[in-house]
Amino acid sequence: MRLSRVWLPALGLLLASCGEDASPFDGVKPPDGLRYTHPDPWAAGVGIPPPGPGGRVIITNSMDDTVSLLELDGATKPGWKELARVPVGLNPVELEGPHHTAVSPDGKHYYVGISNYVPGGGSGPHGAHGTGADDGYCLKMDASTHRMVGSVRVDPNPGDVIVSRDGNTLYQTHFDTLKITEVARRGGTQEEMFARMAVIDAKTMTRKSMVTVCPAPHAVRLSPDERTAYVACWSDEVAIVDLTTPTEKPTRVKVSASAGTAVTPRHQPYALTMSPTTGDVWVSSMASREIQLLDAKTRAMNPARAIRLPGAPMFGDFSADGKTLYMPVQGVESLHVIDADTGAIRSELELAPAGCLNVHQAHLTPDGTHALVVCEGDRLSPGTLHSVDLARGTVVNTVRVGIFPDSVSILGGPR
């Protein structure tokens, strides 16, 4: 989405070599003949049909400011491919890092976090994940035209974004590791490192409240009654937010007796997966390579239920009956099939032979027969989306998508 600025350095050289009166340019108006790649890249939306009855898959590509669209009905058929790859963002000449999506229950809109970071981009406003210095945004996109119909400015480094069951409220976290670094450098307290969670009116795209949560909060999930939000915190904690009184300080629960701090975390909680039957929360801790159980009834960790894995657990999903947890494991590039009652690993489905590198998320199809698994790739070239037949334990489709894909959602279709 970068537009040509070839005339800028040439203009600088010309002005440096000519007197003030000799310059043919006024310093404001570009020279004649300058043409941008597209004068208004999102004015007309994209010419693709709205999602069909089977639903549509949406992938955020954080390194090229696009979302990939695929028809869900094709996931099990030969020749599955992208339907379109459409631009998303506010600034056509800057990479803004779209990060995660949430889909409205009626299928009419989807929401994208604009993190204003670029992986590999170094420090500054567009640095590595969690180190952006600019404020982020949450964008509201029309699911038919893929045009932006609303936006709201939030804090730096938006992380996860989810929507309430009635579609009226969005919850967006801020994975602000830069704040941790800056506060630690000047000798501040851990409380000064806390970032906020934005509570957003999805209809008007205005902020209802900003809830101070914990250092670098990332994944967020709602309890079945939606009165509580659980948030993964980089400080080796899970924050429990009472949404009925969001002004109250959240309860923070250490994920382990060996927990570290925001500056020196030993576990690094990053993702959460909630059981659809018990409401228990499985915490994916990247550094300790464990998934750890937060009991929803006691609101305490159950260390006896922790499961050690051969790599970093990421964003998983549950079977509808709550008996099976499907957990992608980064580093070994596999999908672990776990008995949720016993913690036993039933099988490990290898994804690397199908081209997966740096697996990020698994999302079950509505009928529960397949998992859609997104893999980041090397973060410099296209990543991949895989359709996994869960009964056979095999990858049945692989699709190349954009650069550094980091989320998969399903728009429309059966619920």
Side-chain angles (χ1 to χ4, degrees), residues 221-224 230 238 271-283 292-302 305 317-318 322 325 327 340-341:
R221 295 293 179 267
L222 301 182
S223 61
Y230 300 95
V238 175
L272 301 175
T273 309
M274 177 175 286
S275 167
T277 53
T278 66
D280 292 340
V281 180
W282 291 89
V283 184
Q292 299 147 319
L293 180 66
L294 174 65
D295 189 298
K297 294 180 180 178
T298 64
R299 296 193 170 188
M301 303 302 297
N302 185 341
R305 300 288 305 280
D317 204 356
F318 265 96
L325 171 61
M327 181 57 63
D341 292 328

Side-chain angles (χ1 to χ4, degrees), residues 15-299:
L15 292 177
S17 60
C18 300
E20 183 177 348
D21 295 336
S23 173
F25 306 117
D26 63 8
V28 176
K29 181 182 177 182
D32 293 338
L34 175 67
R35 294 290 182 269
Y36 289 96
T37 352
H38 196 302
D40 194 357
W42 303 300
V46 291
I48 59 175
R56 180 165 291 165
V57 179
I58 299 180
I59 309 290
T60 48
N61 301 309
S62 62
M63 191 59 180
D64 63 16
D65 281 12
T66 63
V67 294
S68 293
L69 308 176
L70 303 92
E71 289 300 303
L72 181 58
D73 286 343
T76 61
K77 302 172 184 176
W80 195 34
K81 61 182 181 180
E82 280 184 310
L83 180 66
R85 191 181 301 172
V86 299
V88 62
L90 295 168
N91 189 340
V93 298
E94 289 285 352
L95 286 174
E96 298 169 281
H99 186 65
H100 289 206
T101 55
V103 173
S104 66
D106 61 10
K108 294 181 179 180
H109 300 93
Y110 60 94
Y111 306 89
V112 183
I114 294 297
S115 60
N116 275 330
Y117 80 92
V118 174
S123 60
H126 301 286
H129 187 15
T131 65
D134 282 358
D135 283 347
Y137 285 83
C138 184
L139 309 185
K140 182 176 184 178
M141 308 294 294
D142 185 294
S144 296
T145 65
H146 302 281
R147 292 183 62 183
M148 187 181 73
V149 295
S151 69
V152 60
R153 187 171 183 168
V154 290
D155 287 344
N157 299 298
D160 203 8
V161 58
I162 61 172
V163 64
S164 59
R165 195 162 40 244
D166 62 10
N168 291 330
T169 307
L170 298 167
Y171 300 90
Q172 187 170 48
T173 59
H174 299 88
F175 187 62
D176 197 350
T177 58
L178 177 63
K179 191 173 188 178
I180 295 175
T181 302
E182 290 177 339
V183 172
R185 186 179 292 123
R186 61 177 172 78
T189 65
Q190 179 153 300
E191 285 71 21
E192 293 176 273
M193 302 174 184
F194 286 6
R196 302 187 295 179
M197 177 177 69
V199 182
I200 301 167
D201 185 312
K203 304 300 182 184
T204 64
M205 293 304 288
T206 55
R207 299 189 303 190
K208 293 182 178 180
S209 61
M210 299 292 288
V211 182
T212 300
V213 183
C214 60
H218 195 253
V220 55
R221 295 293 179 267
L222 301 182
S223 61
D225 63 7
E226 299 195 340
R227 296 168 63 88
T228 303
Y230 300 95
V231 185
C233 305
W234 199 244
S235 51
D236 287 354
E237 300 169 303
V238 175
I240 303 175
V241 183
D242 184 348
L243 297 177
T244 65
T245 55
T247 55
E248 294 293 323
K249 288 185 178 181
T251 300
R252 287 179 291 275
V253 180
K254 291 291 185 180
V255 297
S256 170
S258 64
T261 66
V263 178
T264 56
R266 297 176 180 173
H267 296 269
Q268 297 178 352
Y270 185 75
L272 301 175
T273 309
M274 177 175 286
S275 167
T277 53
T278 66
D280 292 340
V281 180
W282 291 89
V283 184
S284 294
S285 290
M286 298 177 66
S288 60
R289 298 183 172 186
E290 290 181 316
I291 48 176
Q292 299 147 319
L293 180 66
L294 174 65
D295 189 298
K297 294 180 180 178
T298 64
R299 296 193 170 188

